[in-house]
Amino acid sequence: MDLENQRRVKEAADKYGVENVVVILGGAEAEAAGLAAETVTNGDPTFAGPLTNVQLGLAVYHAVEPEFKDFVDPDVYDEQIGMMEMILDVDEIIEEVSSIREEFSKFA
């Protein structure tokens, strides 16, 4: 997660409260999605951004997870994300993000 997005997430959490912010990831690789999930829950593991040592514990999901998919209009999901599901390793992404969420999120 780049420094600008870390700043935006931190500002949203400060403004609206950590219990009211949900982060939806869209990275194409499980490792990158896991790193972003860890950043918004347990703090920036690279120690480079605004979330260094900031454990927000935010709820975080990937756009291909059933919890998100079931929440949005099926037609919109298919139009915007459906095609990507065919080329992504969905199971690996879900496993990575959900394990980070279970370990560090306070608001799953």
Side-chain angles (χ1 to χ4, degrees), residues 16-87:
Y16 300 108
V18 292
E19 69 279 3
N20 297 313
V21 176
V22 175
V23 176
I24 306 299
L25 304 173
E29 297 177 356
E31 187 175 338
L35 184 62
E38 185 174 352
T39 299
V40 301
T41 56
N42 194 45
D44 183 359
T46 67
F47 301 101
L51 294 178
T52 296
N53 295 322
V54 178
Q55 298 175 328
L56 295 175
L58 297 177
V60 60
Y61 296 88
H62 194 282
V64 297
E65 288 191 88
E67 295 88 343
F68 177 76
K69 187 176 181 177
D70 294 343
F71 186 75
V72 299
D73 180 288
D75 292 332
V76 173
Y77 186 90
D78 285 342
E79 180 183 319
Q80 299 295 320
I81 301 170
M83 199 69 128
M84 292 303 296
E85 278 188 313
M86 291 189 280
I87 61 170

Side-chain angles (χ1 to χ4, degrees), residues 2 5 23 25-26 29 34-36 38 43 51 71 90 94 97 99 101 106:
D2 68 28
N5 283 335
V23 176
L25 304 173
E29 297 177 356
L35 184 62
E38 185 174 352
L51 294 178
F71 186 75
V90 172
I94 290 172
V97 175
S99 69
R101 183 175 55 250
K106 299 174 190 170

